[in-house]
Amino acid sequence: MISAIRGSVLSFRSSPFEAPESEYLYYEEDGLVVMEDGKISKIGPATQLLSELERSVVVTHYKHSLIMPGFIDCHVHYPQTEIIGAYGKQLIDWLNKYTFVAEQKFGDKAHASLTAELFLKEALSVGTTTASVFCTVEPASVDAFFEQSVKFGMRNIAGKVLMDRNAPYALLDTAQTGYDQSKKLIEKWHGKDRCLYSVTPRFAPTSSPEQMEMTGALWQESPGTYLQSHISENLDEIEWVKSLFPDASGYLDVYEKFGQIGPRAIYGHGVHLCEAELQRLHESGTSLAHCPTSNFFLGSGLFSVEEAKREDRPVRVGLATDLGAGTSFSQLSTMGEAYKAAQLKGYSLSAFHAFYLATRGAAEALYLEDQVGSIEKGMEADLVVLDLKATRLMAHRLNYADTLHEILFVLMTLADPRTVKSTYIGGKLVADRNITTGQMEFHTV
Ligand code: GUN
Ligand code: ZN
């Protein structure tokens, strides 16, 4: 099945943190993206490619629009959808008061399925096509998530949370049951359709050394799987980790000692990492998920993108919502907040850098850059179409934007979800905004 979409096309060929604009940026003002069997088969100037297309191919023309790779959310908790915006103190308090209460409902498969479906629809509505997702300790929460993910044909990464201490009894597994359940889920889901499994120790404080040991071993013996967790998000959390693992030289060292760093390991936050830890992340190919809305919401601190991407030892960094501590599904909003976090650190994050962190950069952080995150021949056809005249304010403001950079910067600053017109998964239109009602309509594959 061949189809094509026409409009302005934006994508990244490499990293703006490491290459000049002439190398990293792909922009075609009147471009065409041809999709065939789920992948991108051609991309280029519309006038040239249209003449090569068979007459039978349906071409959807998006005027005053920007076609981009779908956004990638590197770190998010679907079961926390129901506690977004829960008022209170900082991380540990918030976990105990809200998170651990909400997550206890996910042994109920029906509740998990409903939440997973709603979560994925919200993600698709704002143009997110791939995410690295924490489920709960219950295997049913993983089944529910992947079943919904398959329905939409998405490339998602997810896993069962591992916790055998410092959480309510109902949310605990043991080192052995956590290992066994995760292994079964890997066999069931890793590589099925576009699903990828992530071994998911919540964070060092909620796993005993025995569980940490078995978790590292499981990840090492399961080729191609991911590992996701949290690191150095909050100062009290860091002190707690020191007291729980007194022999480790630092937070990252805890994970390293248990074989949990390397390519396809991705850690949320890393707000308070030291230079030696950033160096070690770089050397080992371990990634960080930058979660600015969450860091602001929980008062965790300010992540420095500039520091993490330092040219002599760049760390792989992707942008992430970290819902429910994060406050928006939208990666456009998250980019706007990343800009503000950087500003408070004395650094101005350009729109090109921000859009890269939510697309190709995020794909690189997840070692998926050969499959998703950019628009190139052979890549999976996961795309978002942004309507630059979606709202009166947007249309008015963009009348006064002269350059591509200005347009992108306005998009991430105003970040109106109505900007997202259509989301394509594997070349198929799965979310489309009805121009009469303004509502998103969904199609499963
Ligand atoms: N650290 C451990 N668990 C969590 C969580 O669910 N959210 C956030 N933001 N940090 C965590
Ligand atoms: Zn998180």
Side-chain angles (χ1 to χ4, degrees), residues 75 77 134 230 269 322:
H75 177 115
H77 303 251
F134 285 63
H230 297 84
H269 307 290
D322 191 34

Side-chain angles (χ1 to χ4, degrees), residues 71-210:
F71 297 122
I72 298 173
D73 184 345
C74 286
H75 177 115
V76 59
H77 303 251
Y78 96 83
Q80 295 175 15
T81 306
E82 65 200 61
I83 55 154
I84 297 167
Y87 172 81
K89 297 183 188 162
Q90 295 204 346
L91 175 64
I92 307 303
D93 213 55
W94 174 86
L95 280 175
N96 288 318
K97 199 161 163 193
Y98 301 110
T99 316
F100 291 159
V101 176
E103 292 191 6
Q104 289 183 42
K105 298 180 199 159
F106 284 73
D108 174 358
K109 178 84 184 288
H111 180 73
S113 298
L114 275 177
T115 309
E117 183 182 19
L118 179 111
F119 170 88
L120 289 174
K121 284 183 170 173
E122 288 301 310
L124 290 165
S125 296
V126 290
T128 295
T129 49
T130 287
S132 187
V133 179
F134 285 63
C135 302
T136 74
V137 75
E138 288 285 349
S141 72
V142 181
D143 289 335
F145 179 78
F146 277 134
E147 281 162 17
Q148 295 299 322
S149 177
V150 167
K151 237 174 64 181
F152 292 109
M154 295 171 81
R155 181 162 291 294
N156 279 319
I157 301 169
K160 173 200 124 68
V161 165
L162 293 151
M163 287 200 279
D164 70 346
R165 65 171 172 177
N166 293 323
Y169 181 74
L171 286 182
L172 298 183
D173 50 20
T174 66
Q176 191 63 49
T177 60
Y179 176 95
D180 293 343
Q181 291 171 346
S182 302
K183 202 168 181 74
K184 269 202 187 134
L185 288 165
I186 291 171
E187 284 159 14
K188 185 167 180 185
W189 291 111
H190 187 65
K192 180 177 162 59
D193 290 285
R194 299 176 75 199
C195 304
L196 296 164
Y197 194 83
S198 193
V199 176
T200 306
R202 174 168 226 120
F203 68 156
T206 45
S207 287
S208 65
E210 190 194 0

Side-chain angles (χ1 to χ4, degrees), residues 388 390-399 410 414 416 418:
L388 304 181
T391 68
R392 193 169 41 214
L393 174 61
M394 192 71 78
H396 176 73
R397 175 61 184 89
L398 290 179
N399 274 336
V410 168
L414 292 181
D416 195 305
R418 291 170 291 180

Side-chain angles (χ1 to χ4, degrees), residues 393-409:
L393 174 61
M394 192 71 78
H396 176 73
R397 175 61 184 89
L398 290 179
N399 274 336
Y400 300 94
D402 296 327
T403 63
L404 174 63
H405 185 268
E406 251 186 284
I407 293 170
L408 296 179
F409 195 67

